[in-house]
Amino acid sequence: MTHPSESRFERGARALFEIDGEGGQKVVDSLADIAPDFARYIIEFPFGDIYSRPGLNLRSREIATIAALTALGNAAPQLKVHIQAGLNVGLSRDEIVETIMQMAVYAGFPAALNGLFAAKEVFQQEHSLAA
């Protein structure tokens, strides 16, 4: 996923679009008037440096991200973006639901329940867009 001639920002912007599509760009755009530097940090560090590393494919990275955001229990907006990203990189709804349910063991039922409701909302929005 890395190209040696790309800057961190270019590599990150490409990865952000590939993974999150419009959802990622909306997050970046929403920061333009309050913290444009933070938007650049999001592009450069998580996407330009971490997501672009070899060793894990994007499906595995999104499973880990969905699990972590579910376990946090207080990151519903970010979780929704990454549930959509999981779908974008080839995760099935069942894989996403199972990942979230697994977090009940480690993060508790409330965190898993919140995650499942976030997934339900994303799945419903995706279904209504497809209809």
Side-chain angles (χ1 to χ4, degrees):
M1 187 163 172
T2 61
H3 294 80
S5 63
E6 285 181 311
S7 70
R8 289 174 75 209
F9 185 88
E10 291 166 334
R11 186 172 56 246
R14 183 174 49 79
L16 178 69
F17 181 76
E18 181 180 349
I19 297 162
D20 287 332
E22 290 181 22
Q25 190 58 51
K26 286 180 183 177
V27 171
V28 169
D29 292 346
S30 72
L31 293 168
D33 62 344
I34 188 167
D37 288 342
F38 198 76
R40 189 182 80 246
Y41 301 153
I42 289 171
I43 292 169
E44 290 178 343
F45 178 61
F47 292 94
D49 292 341
I50 303 299
Y51 272 90
S52 298
R53 291 178 53 82
L56 287 177
N57 62 30
L58 293 178
R59 291 178 89 259
S60 298
R61 289 186 188 280
E62 283 305 322
I63 288 171
T65 303
I66 290 167
L69 291 170
T70 298
L72 285 173
N74 62 356
Q78 295 81 12
L79 178 58
K80 289 175 190 175
V81 168
H82 283 281
I83 289 169
Q84 184 61 58
L87 294 169
N88 292 348
V89 300
L91 293 177
S92 70
R93 289 179 174 202
D94 288 343
E95 288 172 313
I96 291 168
V97 168
E98 289 298 323
T99 298
I100 293 169
M101 287 176 58
Q102 179 75 19
M103 293 304 99
V105 177
Y106 298 98
F109 274 77
L113 188 59
N114 290 341
L116 290 169
F117 285 133
K120 182 178 180 179
E121 188 176 320
V122 171
F123 298 161
Q124 287 173 340
Q125 286 173 350
E126 183 187 51
H127 179 73
S128 67
L129 291 175

